[in-house]
PDB file of all heavy atoms in Angstrom:
ATOM      1  N   GLN A  65     -18.504 -27.370  -0.382  1.00  0.00           N
ATOM      2  CA  GLN A  65     -18.148 -26.079  -0.966  1.00  0.00           C
ATOM      3  C   GLN A  65     -17.504 -25.174   0.082  1.00  0.00           C
ATOM      4  O   GLN A  65     -16.501 -24.510  -0.181  1.00  0.00           O
ATOM      5  CB  GLN A  65     -19.378 -25.397  -1.561  1.00  0.00           C
ATOM      6  CG  GLN A  65     -19.907 -26.068  -2.797  1.00  0.00           C
ATOM      7  CD  GLN A  65     -21.257 -25.502  -3.226  1.00  0.00           C
ATOM      8  OE1 GLN A  65     -21.902 -24.756  -2.495  1.00  0.00           O
ATOM      9  NE2 GLN A  65     -21.692 -25.881  -4.424  1.00  0.00           N
ATOM     10  N   HIS A  66     -18.086 -25.169   1.279  1.00  0.00           N
ATOM     11  CA  HIS A  66     -17.534 -24.356   2.368  1.00  0.00           C
ATOM     12  C   HIS A  66     -16.130 -24.839   2.713  1.00  0.00           C
ATOM     13  O   HIS A  66     -15.209 -24.035   2.909  1.00  0.00           O
ATOM     14  CB  HIS A  66     -18.452 -24.425   3.593  1.00  0.00           C
ATOM     15  CG  HIS A  66     -17.969 -23.631   4.755  1.00  0.00           C
ATOM     16  ND1 HIS A  66     -17.957 -22.259   4.769  1.00  0.00           N
ATOM     17  CD2 HIS A  66     -17.463 -24.010   5.944  1.00  0.00           C
ATOM     18  CE1 HIS A  66     -17.462 -21.835   5.902  1.00  0.00           C
ATOM     19  NE2 HIS A  66     -17.155 -22.884   6.643  1.00  0.00           N
ATOM     20  N   SER A  67     -15.953 -26.136   2.789  1.00  0.00           N
ATOM     21  CA  SER A  67     -14.645 -26.714   3.104  1.00  0.00           C
ATOM     22  C   SER A  67     -13.625 -26.344   2.033  1.00  0.00           C
ATOM     23  O   SER A  67     -12.480 -26.003   2.350  1.00  0.00           O
ATOM     24  CB  SER A  67     -14.769 -28.229   3.229  1.00  0.00           C
ATOM     25  OG  SER A  67     -13.523 -28.817   3.424  1.00  0.00           O
ATOM     26  N   GLU A  68     -14.019 -26.393   0.781  1.00  0.00           N
ATOM     27  CA  GLU A  68     -13.113 -26.022  -0.313  1.00  0.00           C
ATOM     28  C   GLU A  68     -12.729 -24.548  -0.230  1.00  0.00           C
ATOM     29  O   GLU A  68     -11.573 -24.187  -0.447  1.00  0.00           O
ATOM     30  CB  GLU A  68     -13.750 -26.335  -1.670  1.00  0.00           C
ATOM     31  CG  GLU A  68     -13.846 -27.808  -1.977  1.00  0.00           C
ATOM     32  CD  GLU A  68     -12.493 -28.484  -2.034  1.00  0.00           C
ATOM     33  OE1 GLU A  68     -11.534 -27.879  -2.548  1.00  0.00           O
ATOM     34  OE2 GLU A  68     -12.388 -29.617  -1.538  1.00  0.00           O
ATOM     35  N   ARG A  69     -13.706 -23.694   0.082  1.00  0.00           N
ATOM     36  CA  ARG A  69     -13.397 -22.267   0.227  1.00  0.00           C
ATOM     37  C   ARG A  69     -12.414 -22.051   1.380  1.00  0.00           C
ATOM     38  O   ARG A  69     -11.466 -21.282   1.256  1.00  0.00           O
ATOM     39  CB  ARG A  69     -14.673 -21.457   0.453  1.00  0.00           C
ATOM     40  CG  ARG A  69     -15.479 -21.226  -0.809  1.00  0.00           C
ATOM     41  CD  ARG A  69     -16.580 -20.203  -0.584  1.00  0.00           C
ATOM     42  NE  ARG A  69     -17.524 -20.591   0.440  1.00  0.00           N
ATOM     43  CZ  ARG A  69     -18.699 -21.170   0.217  1.00  0.00           C
ATOM     44  NH1 ARG A  69     -19.077 -21.422  -1.010  1.00  0.00           N
ATOM     45  NH2 ARG A  69     -19.492 -21.485   1.212  1.00  0.00           N
ATOM     46  N   LEU A  70     -12.642 -22.739   2.498  1.00  0.00           N
ATOM     47  CA  LEU A  70     -11.743 -22.596   3.635  1.00  0.00           C
ATOM     48  C   LEU A  70     -10.348 -23.118   3.313  1.00  0.00           C
ATOM     49  O   LEU A  70      -9.341 -22.523   3.715  1.00  0.00           O
ATOM     50  CB  LEU A  70     -12.302 -23.323   4.859  1.00  0.00           C
ATOM     51  CG  LEU A  70     -13.501 -22.663   5.538  1.00  0.00           C
ATOM     52  CD1 LEU A  70     -13.960 -23.498   6.716  1.00  0.00           C
ATOM     53  CD2 LEU A  70     -13.168 -21.254   5.988  1.00  0.00           C
ATOM     54  N   ARG A  71     -10.269 -24.224   2.584  1.00  0.00           N
ATOM     55  CA  ARG A  71      -8.959 -24.745   2.185  1.00  0.00           C
ATOM     56  C   ARG A  71      -8.231 -23.757   1.282  1.00  0.00           C
ATOM     57  O   ARG A  71      -7.021 -23.569   1.392  1.00  0.00           O
ATOM     58  CB  ARG A  71      -9.110 -26.090   1.483  1.00  0.00           C
ATOM     59  CG  ARG A  71      -9.257 -27.225   2.442  1.00  0.00           C
ATOM     60  CD  ARG A  71      -9.123 -28.567   1.730  1.00  0.00           C
ATOM     61  NE  ARG A  71      -9.957 -29.508   2.429  1.00  0.00           N
ATOM     62  CZ  ARG A  71     -10.978 -30.165   1.920  1.00  0.00           C
ATOM     63  NH1 ARG A  71     -11.283 -30.025   0.655  1.00  0.00           N
ATOM     64  NH2 ARG A  71     -11.687 -30.987   2.651  1.00  0.00           N
ATOM     65  N   ALA A  72      -8.969 -23.133   0.370  1.00  0.00           N
ATOM     66  CA  ALA A  72      -8.356 -22.141  -0.521  1.00  0.00           C
ATOM     67  C   ALA A  72      -7.843 -20.948   0.284  1.00  0.00           C
ATOM     68  O   ALA A  72      -6.727 -20.459   0.038  1.00  0.00           O
ATOM     69  CB  ALA A  72      -9.358 -21.682  -1.576  1.00  0.00           C
TER      70      ALA A  72
END
Side-chain angles (χ1 to χ4, degrees):
Q65 290 171 349
H66 180 70
S67 175
E68 289 299 321
R69 283 191 300 263
L70 287 179
R71 278 191 212 119

